[in-house]
Amino acid sequence: QRGGDVRARLTSLALQPQKELFNRVFGCGRQCPFCMTPCEAGGKNHTEHFASIHRPQGIGGYRYEESSELLINTCSSSVASERKFRSSETEGKWHPYKDYQSIYPDWRIQPDTSIQASDYWKYVFNRFNEQFAKEYDAKPADIPHVWRDITQDKAMKSLEESFQMKTEGD
């Protein structure tokens, strides 16, 4: 009997391939402190967290102080701006986004005002804006009109392009 019980063999190995695969696919479990997108560094053995595609910050619960409306900005544009944030990590004090690494030293967010959220996340945010607001006890974001025109098909195409993948029907 060559193969035997595959599960028993896998669990007896010093390096368990199923756990290694899980860690590579799902990463370290850390999320961007502003938009909650997962770290893409892969595995657990890295010192810097990053994500190539950030979500609108309202998806992570960030809102305007004055209006309580959820933010539509991405992290990449915020860290390139003169705007400020506050969080439990800043002990409620306002802190410049440009200097976010003094608060979150293990995160690398590319500062770039030209980077927008993908059409997928724009679609999700538009579609579930009221639910996000309710979840975070905030007011719904002021969604730009062009986001409202994004169809589910266009959102899925954006997801395919972002991750170089194909969906059913292709």
Side-chain angles (χ1 to χ4, degrees):
Q1 182 184 9
R2 253 180 109 249
D5 182 9
V6 174
R7 279 196 192 129
R9 289 188 79 176
L10 284 175
T11 54
S12 69
L13 295 172
L15 173 71
Q16 297 186 344
Q18 72 278 19
K19 285 186 179 175
E20 190 63 28
L21 181 61
F22 181 86
N23 286 340
R24 284 182 188 224
V25 172
F26 292 100
C28 66
R30 297 286 305 274
Q31 294 176 299
C32 172
F34 303 116
C35 72
M36 301 305 173
T37 199
C39 171
E40 294 174 17
K44 303 224 182 274
N45 300 326
H46 56 271
T47 55
E48 288 186 349
H49 304 290
F50 74 89
S52 53
I53 302 169
H54 287 270
R55 304 168 183 171
Q57 288 177 264
I59 290 176
Y62 272 79
R63 69 194 80 191
Y64 290 106
E65 179 78 9
E66 315 79 47
S67 68
S68 290
E69 284 180 4
L70 294 173
L71 288 172
I72 61 167
N73 308 341
T74 63
C75 308
S76 299
S77 63
S78 290
V79 300
S81 75
E82 298 300 321
R83 291 191 289 273
K84 295 182 178 186
F85 71 94
R86 65 182 186 168
S87 64
S88 57
E89 291 85 358
T90 68
E91 299 173 345
K93 295 182 179 80
W94 290 103
H95 193 82
Y97 274 103
K98 280 185 178 176
D99 188 32
Y100 76 94
Q101 286 187 297
S102 65
I103 305 297
Y104 306 108
D106 54 349
W107 269 92
R108 294 292 169 266
I109 301 170
Q110 190 64 38
D112 188 340
T113 55
S114 70
I115 296 177
Q116 291 194 12
S118 70
D119 281 349
Y120 175 78
W121 286 111
K122 290 175 183 177
Y123 172 81
V124 167
F125 200 25
N126 177 50
R127 182 120 201 276
F128 298 103
N129 190 12
E130 298 285 335
Q131 289 93 320
F132 283 120
K134 188 175 181 181
E135 176 68 25
Y136 294 123
D137 194 24
K139 291 184 180 166
D142 184 14
I143 301 288
H145 287 287
V146 292
W147 290 23
R148 296 175 192 185
D149 295 334
I150 298 170
T151 64
Q152 184 173 353
D153 283 345
K154 190 173 178 185
M156 294 309 293
K157 288 242 183 299
S158 164
L159 197 58
E160 289 173 29
E161 290 167 8
S162 297
F163 295 100
Q164 289 92 46
M165 61 184 217
K166 296 282 181 207
T167 56
E168 278 185 49
D170 286 348

